[in-house]
Amino acid sequence: MANVSVYNIEGKEVGTIELNDAIFGVEVNEHLVHMAVVSQLANKRQGTQKAKTRSEVSGGGRKPWRQKGTGHARQGSTRAPQWTGGGVVFAPTPRDYSFKLNKKEKRAALKSALTSRVEENKFIVVDELQFAEIKTKNFQKVLNNLSVSKALVVLEDGNVNAELSARNIAGIKTAKTNTINVYDILKYNTVIATKAAVEKIQEVYA
């Protein structure tokens, strides 16, 4: 099992924590990680683009002129695509871009992402992130002590002061143990987790 240093909010090492290899020491499956990221981005798409086809635009009920004898090309409706104000050929319609990953695949991708962060020394464990008040300056001071600028901060449930103190800092996102995902883990340079959050992750995903 991998041992990772535990830091306090002053940025000083205060001990170590043993990480479960079943979560933080698996073989990284890049294909599953890629699929998880693509799935998450696809599921975010609204797919609400829409244009009207010739059957949906208003007007064009009668034939504009007779079939033969006018010298013009034959026309059946003024709402055909070649007319101004006509419908769009192969118009886009609302669609669902989402696709599903199996539960085992999602879990394996998450474990791979966490393992990659540990292997790259971009996984920082803090003994606790407890603040007496909601103050952005206090949280920024902790980040400075840890020499971190862009990070995903994983907090234990109920740590409201830390969550609200971090929300106005650019490049910082907070998450709870049940909302972490592959995209966020890879998007941010560093993952910071409290000791309690790591223990909860190991309990849930082991």
Side-chain angles (χ1 to χ4, degrees):
M1 288 191 176
N3 276 326
V4 174
S5 299
V6 177
Y7 298 90
N8 60 15
I9 56 175
E10 277 83 42
K12 293 172 183 171
E13 192 175 330
V14 292
T16 59
I17 186 172
E18 206 170 69
L19 298 178
N20 190 341
D21 281 346
I23 299 165
F24 297 97
V26 301
E27 188 179 336
V28 177
N29 188 328
E30 290 184 7
H31 174 66
L32 274 184
V33 171
H34 173 73
M35 288 289 287
V37 171
V38 171
S39 170
Q40 197 173 333
L41 293 176
N43 293 350
K44 277 183 175 180
R45 292 184 71 175
Q46 284 190 312
T48 52
Q49 72 275 41
K50 176 79 175 82
K52 291 183 177 180
T53 62
R54 62 182 295 169
S55 67
E56 294 168 313
V57 289
S58 60
R62 63 184 284 273
K63 193 172 170 65
W65 50 74
R66 59 197 174 93
Q67 180 84 343
K68 292 176 179 289
T70 62
H72 297 299
R74 56 192 173 187
Q75 299 292 331
S77 169
T78 55
R79 302 296 86 171
Q82 71 270 21
W83 286 74
T84 300
V88 177
V89 184
F90 307 131
T93 54
R95 58 169 284 196
D96 181 12
Y97 288 92
S98 65
F99 66 93
K100 191 182 172 192
L101 277 182
N102 294 334
K103 197 181 285 185
K104 282 184 179 178
E105 289 176 326
K106 279 183 186 174
R107 190 166 280 223
L110 186 66
K111 290 176 181 179
S112 290
L114 289 169
T115 298
S116 69
R117 280 290 172 252
V118 173
E119 288 175 352
E120 293 163 5
N121 294 321
K122 292 179 178 178
F123 190 84
I124 298 173
V125 181
V126 181
D127 59 351
E128 59 177 11
L129 283 171
Q130 296 294 340
F131 298 102
E133 57 182 338
I134 299 165
K135 208 164 183 68
T136 305
K137 191 192 289 184
N138 292 345
F139 203 100
Q140 184 63 59
K141 197 182 290 182
V142 174
L143 296 173
N144 294 342
N145 292 339
L146 295 169
S147 302
V148 172
S149 58
K150 187 179 179 184
L152 174 69
V153 182
V154 186
L155 301 167
E156 69 278 11
D157 290 344
N159 196 344
V160 179
N161 283 4
E163 193 177 332
L164 295 178
S165 296
R167 68 180 171 178
N168 208 29
I169 303 174
I172 299 295
K173 181 175 180 178
T174 58
K176 292 177 182 161
T177 51
N178 61 343
T179 62
I180 54 173
N181 59 74
V182 175
Y183 178 71
D184 284 342
I185 291 169
L186 299 179
K187 179 183 176 183
Y188 295 90
N189 296 339
T190 311
V191 175
I192 299 172
T194 62
K195 201 172 177 182
V198 172
E199 287 165 1
K200 184 70 175 175
I201 290 169
Q202 295 188 140
E203 181 189 317
V204 172
Y205 294 101

